Amino acid sequence: VCASVSSIILCSIEAIANFDIDAVDIKQTKDKLEIIINKEDNITDKLIKNMLNCLKELEKKYPKNIEIIDKEE
């Protein structure tokens, strides 16, 4: 689960950064990763939605190991 989460997040954030380095910021603590969206555009929105969909699928399969908190919902 950990490797899957890392891969999903890293690929998504790197893809966003390739289009606009300032579009998102990351805040990480021991038990939490927060993604701050600084600029909303079509590409960033689609990549974030895709990332969340992938993470939510993992959450369904492994509810004891991962919790997705979407502040937009």
Side-chain angles (χ1 to χ4, degrees):
V1 174
C2 186
S4 296
V5 170
S6 296
S7 295
I8 292 167
I9 292 172
L10 286 173
C11 287
S12 299
I13 297 304
E14 286 295 322
I16 293 168
N18 282 328
F19 289 102
D20 185 349
I21 193 77
D22 298 318
V24 294
D25 286 320
I26 304 293
K27 288 187 182 179
Q28 185 173 0
T29 61
K30 181 182 175 196
D31 297 325
K32 183 170 114 177
L33 178 75
E34 186 175 357
I35 300 171
I36 298 98
I37 301 170
N38 298 321
K39 297 179 184 176
E40 292 192 28
D41 59 45
N42 191 39
I43 294 170
T44 300
D45 290 347
K46 286 181 178 179
L47 288 168
I48 291 290
K49 284 179 187 176
N50 183 68
M51 178 187 69
L52 285 172
N53 288 338
C54 292
L55 292 171
K56 286 176 183 178
E57 285 300 313
L58 276 178
E59 182 182 39
K60 286 179 192 175
K61 292 179 183 177
Y62 305 99
K64 293 181 181 178
N65 301 94
I66 180 173
E67 179 184 12
I68 306 302
I69 302 168
D70 185 352
K71 291 184 178 181
E72 296 292 318
E73 292 183 345

